[in-house]
């Protein structure tokens, strides 16, 4: 029996809807396997800005700090036609959590279900055997200039005598590269022992350093093969021969873009989970933040149309990586696959031939299947 504390941060848009289904799955695991999960639910994003004046309050942050894992929904955009002027930005909540808790490695597994091959834009013969994990560096790069305002790392729009110009700073240290690359090689050692390191070394100095560090780390893992690949070539091969990949490691911006592309292999971005991990250990694993890859999708909010599978599979990653509950994580993943194999579909993976169910019904069927397993 395991005792764990989980902070749930539903956020905005469809975040509360999909997170509710993921939490229902965790409660089913708690009951079935006789664990005890203490759950705290707190506000983030637009929800927190409207209620508390900030994207994430210090009290909420403190609650997170005393947890074993964070289950996150989504933050961000307003529905079409609505705007906000100035003030805190909802995404600041996620950036603060990542930065202050040191979540530097973002894991995004991509494994299309055979029963969903028809939902992908690729032909089934191109999808067969696809099973990869992206390891995206999460705490540095282009995304962190504007947020930190560090001298020497400009990220701004500025007025000059020549007109308006914009600048962003892409900065990586040797240490920031090495720690995420070591995570990738460690994961690969337990899988098919192949790492693909993605960069743009023909253009970017940061990528030249990236390659140097990868080669040094690779020397410590003689049983793992590795290759360098330019990001544009990787984007092409993800569509042409996705089964070629095992573990892909890359920097922040490239990882953001490539994983959204890879989501189409599964049929929908609503299918993809993620785990963001740092260096802090829990009693049975690593402290982490778990969230579906999709955004807040505000135009779907409150309509019972969002796919909760990404959030539910994120809960499975939480069980595995933060709580050390591999059997329970595998049971959740199997329940999801069985429900989909039986023909249950949300709108985004309906393929035009299956009866479509809503967010709540999809979650209910997965919970029911989990209890029966």
């Amino acid at each position: 029996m395991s005792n764990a504390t989980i902070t749930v941060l539903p956020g905005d848009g469809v975040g509360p809807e999909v997170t509710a289904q993921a939490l229902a799955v965790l409660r089913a695991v708690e009951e079935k396997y006789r664990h005890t999960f203490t759950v705290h639910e707190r506000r983030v994003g637009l929800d927190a800005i409207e209620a508390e004046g900030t994207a994430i309050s210090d009290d909420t942050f403190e609650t997170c700090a005393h947890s074993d894992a964070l289950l996150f929904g989504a933050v961000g955009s307003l529905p079409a036609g609505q705007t906000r002027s100035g003030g805190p930005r909802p995404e600041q909540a996620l950036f603060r959590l990542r930065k202050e808790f040191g979540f530097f490695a973002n894991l995004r597994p991509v494994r299309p279900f055979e029963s969903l091959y028809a939902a992908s834009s690729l032909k089934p013969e191109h999808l067969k055997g696809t099973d990869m994990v992206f390891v995206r560096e999460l705490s540095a790069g282009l995304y962190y200039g504007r947020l930190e305002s560090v001298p020497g790392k400009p990220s701004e729009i500025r007025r000059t005598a020549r007109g308006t110009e914009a600048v962003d700073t892409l900065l990586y240290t040797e240490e920031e590269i090495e720690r995420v690359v070591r995570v990738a090689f460690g994961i690969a050692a337990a899988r098919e022992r192949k790492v693909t390191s993605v960069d743009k070394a023909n253009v970017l100095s940061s990528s030249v350093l990236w390659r140097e560090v990868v080669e040094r780390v690779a020397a410590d893992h003689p049983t793992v093969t590795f290759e360098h690949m330019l990001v544009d070539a990787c984007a092409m091969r993800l569509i042409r021969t996705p089964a070629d990949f095992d573990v892909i490691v890359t920097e922040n911006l490239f990882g953001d873009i490539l994983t959204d592309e890879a989501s189409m292999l599964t049929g929908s971005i609503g299918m993809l989970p993620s785990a963001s991990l740092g260096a802090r250990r829990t009693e049975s694993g690593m402290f982490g933040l778990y969230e579906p890859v999709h955004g807040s999708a505000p135009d779907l909010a409150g309509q019972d149309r969002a796919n909760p599978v990404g959030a539910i599979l994120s809960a499975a990653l939480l069980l595995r990586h933060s709580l050390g509950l591999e059997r329970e994580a595998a049971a959740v993943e199997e329940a999801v696959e069985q429900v989909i194999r039986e023909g249950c579909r949300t709108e985004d993976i309906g393929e035009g031939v299956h009866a479509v169910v809503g967010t709540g019904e999809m979650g209910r069927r997965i919970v029911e299947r989990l209890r029966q397993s």
Side-chain angles (χ1 to χ4, degrees):
M1 184 172 68
S2 173
N3 295 285
T5 300
I6 301 167
T7 296
V8 179
L9 305 167
D12 310 319
V14 300
E17 296 172 67
V18 299
T19 304
Q21 303 311 314
L23 182 56
V25 167
L26 288 175
R27 289 302 192 193
V29 167
E30 178 185 35
E31 177 184 352
K32 180 179 177 66
Y33 295 96
R34 301 179 64 187
H35 300 306
T36 301
F37 298 154
T38 301
V39 175
H40 304 293
E41 187 167 323
R42 297 292 186 268
R43 299 177 185 272
V44 289
L46 285 169
D47 181 42
I49 291 170
E50 293 171 359
E52 301 168 344
T54 183
I56 181 168
S57 70
D58 290 340
D59 285 345
T60 295
F61 196 84
E62 188 68 15
T63 300
C64 293
H66 290 89
S67 301
D68 295 296
L70 312 178
L71 182 63
F72 196 92
V75 293
S77 307
L78 290 166
Q82 295 186 30
T83 59
R84 292 181 69 253
S85 57
R89 301 188 307 278
E91 64 271 18
Q92 288 172 326
L94 193 51
F95 284 123
R96 182 182 177 189
L97 289 166
R98 289 174 178 174
K99 197 66 177 178
E100 295 195 29
F101 286 137
F103 295 140
F104 65 86
N106 181 233
L107 314 185
R108 296 187 174 187
V110 180
R111 183 175 67 87
F113 296 152
E114 187 173 352
S115 56
L116 279 181
Y117 280 0
S120 173
S121 54
L122 271 65
K123 295 177 181 179
E125 56 265 32
H126 292 305
L127 293 170
K128 189 175 181 179
T130 298
D131 183 356
M132 71 186 81
V133 175
F134 279 87
V135 182
R136 168 191 171 192
E137 199 291 319
L138 200 62
S139 64
L142 281 172
Y143 288 11
Y144 284 89
R146 181 182 178 192
L147 293 165
E148 295 177 343
S149 300
V150 175
K153 288 180 60 179
S155 182
E156 61 189 7
I157 297 174
R158 56 199 183 195
R159 318 298 173 186
T160 74
R162 302 181 304 276
T164 303
E165 62 184 22
V167 60
D168 292 289
T169 301
L170 173 53
L171 175 66
Y172 268 106
T173 67
E174 189 176 26
E175 178 186 8
E176 289 166 341
I177 299 169
E178 181 170 341
R179 63 186 182 181
V180 75
V181 170
R182 288 196 179 278
V183 168
F185 273 83
I187 292 172
R191 287 173 50 91
E192 297 301 316
R193 299 186 177 184
K194 179 182 177 182
V195 170
T196 301
S197 175
V198 176
D199 59 48
K200 193 63 176 171
N202 59 337
V203 175
L204 300 174
S205 295
S206 60
S207 287
V208 174
L209 176 61
W210 186 282
R211 288 199 174 197
E212 292 177 2
V213 174
V214 168
E215 290 171 6
R216 186 170 69 240
V217 172
D220 295 333
H221 296 81
T223 64
V224 177
T225 63
F226 81 98
E227 62 181 340
H228 298 298
M229 187 174 293
L230 296 176
V231 64
D232 39 357
C234 181
M236 179 180 65
R237 282 183 58 184
L238 276 173
I239 299 301
R240 188 177 64 187
T241 53
D244 288 351
F245 295 105
D246 178 28
V247 176
I248 299 174
V249 61
T250 190
E251 61 97 54
N252 207 337
L253 178 62
F254 296 161
D256 191 2
I257 296 169
L258 290 174
T259 51
D260 278 10
E261 179 192 9
S263 72
M264 292 299 97
L265 303 175
T266 68
S268 168
I269 197 170
M271 297 292 296
L272 256 62
S274 77
S276 299
L277 307 176
R280 178 186 138 193
R281 296 201 62 85
T282 63
E283 183 176 342
S284 302
M286 305 298 296
F287 178 55
L289 181 148
Y290 302 86
E291 61 177 320
V293 172
H294 65 71
S296 59
D299 292 331
L300 296 181
Q303 300 177 43
D304 193 40
R305 294 168 59 194
N307 187 344
V309 167
I312 290 170
L313 292 177
S314 295
L317 294 179
L318 183 156
L319 293 168
R320 175 175 292 119
H321 292 291
S322 285
L323 307 189
L325 301 176
E326 175 60 36
R327 176 183 60 167
E328 290 83 340
V332 171
E333 291 163 346
E334 178 60 23
V336 169
E337 188 163 4
Q338 286 184 5
V339 166
I340 290 174
R341 190 185 305 128
E342 291 163 0
C344 187
R345 303 284 193 274
T346 46
E347 181 181 302
D348 56 322
I349 53 173
E351 308 164 51
V353 296
H354 292 273
V356 170
V357 302
T359 309
E361 179 63 13
M362 176 64 93
R364 186 193 69 77
R365 293 194 190 188
I366 292 170
V367 167
E368 181 180 352
R369 177 59 62 189
L370 176 63
R371 286 175 172 156
Q372 293 172 353
S373 63

